Each structure stands twice: as structure tokens, then as C-alpha cells.
Amino acid sequence: MNIDQKNNTMRIKKIISMALLSLSLSVWNGGAQEYANALDGLVGELSATTVGGTVLVSKKGEAVYRNSFGAADLELGVGMRPEHVLRIGSLTKQFTAAAILKLEEEGRLSIGDDITEYIKDYPDGHGITVAHLLSHTSGIANYTDMPELKGDIRRKDLSPGELMALFKDAPLDFAPGTGFKYSNSGYILLGMIIEAVSGTTYADYLDKTFFGPLGMDKTRYDDTSGIIIDRVPGYDREKGGYRNTDYLSMAIPYAGGALLSTVDDLSVWNKAVMGHGILGRGAVGKAHSRYVLDNGKGIDYGLGWRLGNVQGSPSIKHGGSVNGFTSFALYLPEEEVFVALLTNCGCTWPIEDIASKMAAVAMGRPYELGSVEVPAKSLERLQGEYLSDQGVLRTIRLEDGTLLYFGKGGEKTRLLPLGDNRFRLDGTLSILDFGDGQGNGPQGFVTHGLYSPVHWERTATRIKAYRTVPLSKRDLERYGGDYKFPNGRVFKVVSEQDRMYGQMGSNREEIRHLGGGRFHAVGIDALLLFTAGPNDKINGLTIVQKNEKKAVRVR
């Protein structure tokens, strides 16, 4: 890092630190001081992962917490303010869904119609309904995952028809109505339907139907070349610091993610939706009910909104991510608690967990994230391979006294004991409940998190605990060296302070000895099997992760 880079990094840290002082200046409504410390703490937790942001928490329609943190503009040294305007990404989808439902209320369309009623030239559109687009159950491939959208095309002001051309001929991921897969493509088509039925542009329809009448003066379709008062720039993380986000024409996200807003305007919008000020009870009820697949199974998505829970209480929510920005909005209808979080970095994480924790504080049932001591014998009986009702396979293993949870070849996550049979997945709000299984261990568990419970059954595969076998300094040096794979990449094994590490490129992972020439990675599911020649000198290794890769020792 050169001197200019150091100075810039120090200046950025100073800007963000100074802006964080505004935490003590939060706006409170009468009687809301009880939330102050807890919510300020959560804002501080989120601020460590991003550049800046705005937050609003309301209860029964009244703001109980309104705040901002971090920087709005790193280059100008400007701190964030609650009234700043930020991109909201996929929070746009609820506005698109509301527009469709409004047109249906007016008798101008039906969400049960095939999309070919409105987009005549869509190939194989028969059998795909407007409701399928709203609920991500159409099977249409997601254009933002396609290689066709990489590179300079993201800078072009494509028309909705040109966007549609990127995905219309791609094969369906599944038959319409038989599965759920998030697809921004569906919302491109919904924008086109709104324009076809209303006879005006998508942006104008939202402005005349919603934003203007509701007084949402700072909510609009983003315009990268226009002068928009209080709009802030977006950032992404790079090499331990931040950079300006890549340019994106806002014609690209269109009706799936092109809006700008503020936390105040989002609160106005939420009150209007939940109070049936813009849509009738029937329309809102459809939007906020789990969509049912053809097999009769409900999903955690309605029409433009996700559905879940906070501390067991129903939640209606959505997140957003678009170049340089991350957002989340959540509502608890039973407690009438609303939370909006907008940030100006694509790196912000875990924004949904923070929003859920804030809602839990406002509802008076904050998450308790402590853990207790559980005997190793009680942990051992939980080891096994488990298959979910969604077809996902996970392993639970005790490694040097720590219970870990992981998918094949994936990262390992600690299971923190809340009791003999209840554990929290570290870094999340997900609880694994093993019930009252006795003897050789439970036959399964249920995961309770921010969405519907997931049921897991134990398979017949037996899992044994890992216990580290100490190595002498001489043995540590025996395994050290460079190992070359057939593709030319080199895997380095080094020892530092009686520990061994494996490194490939910038990825570095501690490895521990299991006996003989067997080692395992501490943070990911990977085995390392070293081989020796006739003179007992180590001559190669095999890494077993998602598959096997053999390397020859070259140094």
C-alpha cells in the first residue's frame, strides 16, 4: 500500500468514525427511549460491515427510532442523514406487484391470465400466468445470472423489449407453477404488462398512482444522469477498503429494482399498503399470503413480498441489492412494527438479521444469543448426516470438542448450545431443535429461523468425531512444502508456531492432524491425505473436498 492509499484509508475511517458519533442524536418518539441502547447497538453492528446507511423503526404507525450512520459520500467526507435518497434494489418489486394488483382491482387485467394476453410475442408463454411472474414460480430463467448480461451491456440503456430478448428463448427451469426460483426476468415482464395495460411508462404509472398521491416526494425511478437532491453514491468493498461501484444503467433492473427512496417514504408506503389506502383488503391479502404450488405446497413468497417470522410472529418483508446498495424492509402485522434499512454499499451483511433483531426489540422480545455448556457426550450423539425435506444434505460433526454444521465441501459453522437438544447456528438467527431424542441420538431435527420451519431426517451414514493428534516439530517440517496439481496450481503447506496451514493463492486455511498422513481443514469440509515414497519421504497429497484432487510434491 502506498502513502496515498494509506492516507485515503485513514481518511475513510475518520469520516465513518465521525459520522458514527451521530448515533447519540437519534430521533425518539415519546416513550421510545427503552429501545435506544439496543437499537443503537444493532446500528453499530451493521455499520462495521458497510459505508453508511439510514434506519427507521416504527410501531403502530409512529416512528420510535430514526437514525443514520457512516458516510454518505467518502470522497467529499459527508456523513449520512436519514433524509438521504438511496437505491432500494428489489424492494422495487412490491411497488411493481402493487401496480399489477391495482390494475386488476380496476378490472383491466387478471393475474390468472396468461402473459401472452399482454405480451403477444413471448414464446411458449401459454401456461405462464401473471401470478407466476409475481411469485417467482414461472420457471423463466433469471436474466441477471446469464453471461449475456456481463460486461459493457450493463452500461447500455436497453429497452424492456431488448431486456426480454436476453431470456425469452432460454429453456424454462421448471414447468410453471411447479417450483420456486427467484427470477428478476419475471419482473421485467410485469413492467412491460403495466405499460401495455396502462398506456404509460412504468415510471410514470408509479408516480401518478402511488408516489404523487401519497406524498412520497423522494421516491422515484432512478436516473443516473439527472440531478436528484439528496441522492448518495454507492460503493463496493475491495481489498480491505472501498471503491465506487461499477456504473449500471438503471434501464437494466427496470421494474425489478430501479427505484430510489428514503426510509421515511418507505414508512409512508408501508402504512398506505397495510392500511388499505392504495389497495383493497382482497388484493393485500393475496399479496401477503403464501403462494401455493401445483402440488399444494405453500412457499415463503406471496406476490412481491417475502413471508417469514420474527420470534415466531408473522413477518412481511423483502430485501434489495443493486450496484453499490443493499436494503431491507420488514413489517410485523400483529405488532404493527415496521423496520426499514437502506445502505450505500453492496457489501452490507447481514442486513436481514439486523432488521429482524430491530423488529424483535421493538416488539419487546429481543433475541437472546447466549449459549450454555453441554457435555461432550451429549454433543457426540448428535453427529450424523441429515437430509432436509427440501432435498438438502448436511453433516454435523464434533471436532476437537466443537459441534460443527456443514454441507459437502462447504464452510463449517459452529452450533452453539442453548440446551442439550437446542442449538443456534453461529452468526445466524436459526435454531436447530433435536427434540427429545435419546440413546444413539435423535432421528432428526427442525430448523426454526426467519422463514418456514425445515425438517431434517438422519440418514444411515455414520459420522465420527475428529480429534487432533499432536505433531512434533520434525513432523511438521516433514509435511511442509509445495504441491503441484495437474492444472499447474501450487498448494503450499507451511508450519507456524506449532500449527500447520494450507494455502493456494490468497486462500489460507489451518489444517490439523488426524493420525498417519491424514489431516483435515479447520474451516471447510476438506480432507488432506499425504502420501510417502519408499524412503518415507512425503511425495504428494490428495485433497478430498467436493471431489478428489491429486498433487505432486515439487519442493
Side-chain angles (χ1 to χ4, degrees):
M1 180 181 285
N2 60 37
I3 293 176
D4 287 341
Q5 287 176 314
K6 285 184 177 179
N7 287 340
N8 284 338
T9 300
M10 292 175 65
R11 184 169 178 266
I12 288 170
K13 289 181 178 179
K14 184 177 180 181
I15 292 168
I16 294 176
S17 296
M18 289 178 66
L20 286 175
L21 293 177
S22 68
L23 292 179
S24 61
L25 302 178
S26 308
V27 176
W28 308 102
N29 196 28
Q33 187 65 41
E34 61 189 286
Y35 306 128
N37 292 337
L39 293 176
D40 274 351
L42 291 169
V43 167
E45 188 178 329
L46 188 66
S47 70
T49 75
T50 191
V51 174
T54 60
V55 54
L56 184 143
V57 180
S58 69
K59 191 168 185 179
K60 299 189 182 300
E62 297 295 327
V64 295
Y65 184 85
R66 181 176 179 268
N67 205 351
S68 61
F69 59 91
D73 190 313
L74 291 174
E75 293 169 314
L76 296 178
V78 176
M80 190 72 79
R81 301 194 313 272
E83 58 269 24
H84 273 137
V85 177
L86 293 83
R87 289 179 183 172
I88 64 172
S90 285
L91 290 184
T92 299
K93 289 181 170 65
Q94 59 192 259
F95 293 92
T96 302
I100 290 288
L101 293 169
K102 186 70 173 177
L103 291 169
E104 184 179 50
E105 280 190 335
E106 295 170 350
R108 301 169 74 181
L109 61 75
S110 168
I111 64 171
D113 289 341
D114 280 1
I115 62 174
T116 50
E117 288 284 323
Y118 312 101
I119 306 174
K120 305 296 184 184
D121 59 344
Y122 195 86
D124 299 324
H126 296 288
I128 300 175
T129 66
V130 177
H132 288 146
L133 302 181
L134 288 165
S135 59
H136 301 283
T137 59
S138 69
I140 295 174
N142 183 15
Y143 79 104
T144 55
D145 291 337
M146 293 179 170
E148 291 85 351
L149 200 66
K150 306 298 181 187
D152 286 346
I153 194 171
R154 297 169 66 86
R155 305 178 67 89
K156 297 180 179 179
D157 296 332
L158 300 184
S159 69
E162 289 172 323
L163 283 173
M164 182 179 72
L166 296 175
F167 59 81
K168 69 177 184 178
D169 295 317
L172 295 178
D173 291 330
F174 48 79
T178 64
F180 170 85
K181 188 176 181 181
Y182 195 86
S183 177
N184 289 297
S185 303
Y187 277 74
I188 299 302
L189 300 180
L190 289 168
M192 295 175 68
I193 291 171
I194 291 167
E195 294 191 354
V197 173
S198 70
T200 187
T201 66
Y202 170 79
D204 283 347
Y205 182 82
L206 293 187
D207 190 51
K208 293 174 183 175
T209 308
F210 300 139
F211 307 153
L214 292 175
M216 297 171 64
D217 299 333
K218 290 194 170 184
T219 302
R220 56 168 292 171
Y221 196 106
D222 195 4
D223 176 2
T224 52
S225 63
I227 303 300
I228 299 176
I229 303 301
D230 286 333
R231 176 172 56 177
V232 304
Y235 301 92
D236 288 306
R237 192 180 294 279
E238 183 177 69
K239 296 179 181 179
Y242 296 103
R243 65 172 177 83
N244 289 305
T245 193
D246 294 335
Y247 178 85
L248 176 70
S249 164
M250 295 314 289
I252 301 297
Y254 184 45
L259 295 185
L260 293 165
S261 193
T262 66
V263 290
D264 295 320
D265 272 8
L266 289 176
S267 179
V268 169
W269 169 253
N270 185 74
K271 282 191 280 189
V273 172
M274 301 307 169
H276 311 111
I278 57 170
L279 292 170
R281 289 184 181 276
V284 174
K286 281 193 289 190
H288 297 160
S289 296
R290 284 178 167 78
Y291 191 80
V292 179
L293 300 177
D294 290 353
N295 62 8
K297 182 180 179 181
I299 60 174
D300 287 336
Y301 205 95
L303 307 178
W305 279 266
R306 290 188 184 273
L307 304 165
N309 74 89
V310 171
Q311 291 286 52
S313 188
S315 66
I316 300 163
K317 57 190 177 180
H318 214 290
S321 180
V322 65
N323 286 37
F325 298 83
T326 310
S327 60
F328 206 86
L330 177 154
Y331 183 66
L332 305 180
E334 293 181 359
E335 293 80 8
E336 298 181 60
V337 168
F338 175 71
V339 176
L341 281 169
L342 303 179
T343 70
N344 61 337
C345 186
C347 60
T348 311
W349 186 89
I351 194 167
E352 180 174 6
D353 284 6
I354 296 295
S356 300
K357 290 177 184 178
M358 288 181 167
V361 169
M363 68 192 285
R365 286 160 42 206
Y367 284 94
E368 301 294 339
L369 302 180
S371 61
V372 299
E373 292 291 328
V374 173
K377 198 165 186 179
S378 296
L379 299 178
E380 279 194 37
R381 70 185 184 85
L382 303 176
Q383 293 184 119
E385 186 180 76
Y386 296 85
L387 182 66
S388 80
D389 53 11
Q390 300 172 355
V392 177
L393 199 63
R394 291 290 182 265
T395 299
I396 294 177
R397 177 188 286 124
L398 190 64
E399 298 185 6
D400 290 326
T402 300
L403 200 63
L404 299 172
Y405 171 98
F406 53 89
K408 185 174 182 179
E411 292 186 10
K412 298 173 181 176
T413 303
R414 291 187 304 165
L415 288 175
L416 304 177
L418 304 176
D420 285 348
N421 298 306
R422 295 182 73 248
F423 296 78
R424 182 172 63 84
L425 199 60
D426 193 18
T428 77
L429 297 177
S430 294
I431 305 297
L432 280 65
D433 190 340
F434 290 87
D436 298 321
Q438 301 295 325
N440 293 326
Q443 296 308 303
F445 63 88
V446 180
T447 303
H448 300 279
L450 299 177
Y451 293 90
S452 292
V454 179
H455 296 262
W456 302 74
E457 287 189 7
R458 195 173 194 167
T459 72
T461 302
R462 293 179 62 83
I463 300 296
K464 293 184 178 180
Y466 281 174
R467 295 178 178 85
T468 299
V469 178
L471 283 173
S472 66
K473 184 176 181 180
R474 179 182 175 187
D475 282 334
L476 288 171
E477 293 172 350
R478 178 170 173 254
Y479 290 101
D482 293 352
Y483 298 80
K484 192 173 184 179
F485 290 97
N487 64 4
R489 300 195 70 185
V490 175
F491 183 82
K492 295 179 178 291
V493 177
V494 298
S495 60
E496 295 177 7
Q497 298 180 346
D498 297 328
R499 294 179 184 271
M500 284 185 65
Y501 298 89
Q503 182 169 337
M504 186 179 289
S506 60
N507 296 321
R508 179 181 170 98
E509 187 70 36
E510 183 181 355
I511 56 177
R512 292 180 182 173
H513 185 222
L514 293 172
R518 297 175 71 245
F519 291 75
H520 76 95
V522 172
I524 58 174
D525 176 38
L527 277 175
L528 290 79
L529 310 176
F530 289 86
T531 57
N535 58 358
D536 206 32
K537 184 177 181 180
I538 302 299
N539 60 12
L541 67 77
T542 298
I543 295 180
V544 183
Q545 198 171 354
K546 291 183 178 178
N547 49 36
E548 291 190 5
K549 297 178 182 177
K550 296 181 182 293
V552 176
R553 188 175 188 175
V554 293
R555 186 184 68 81

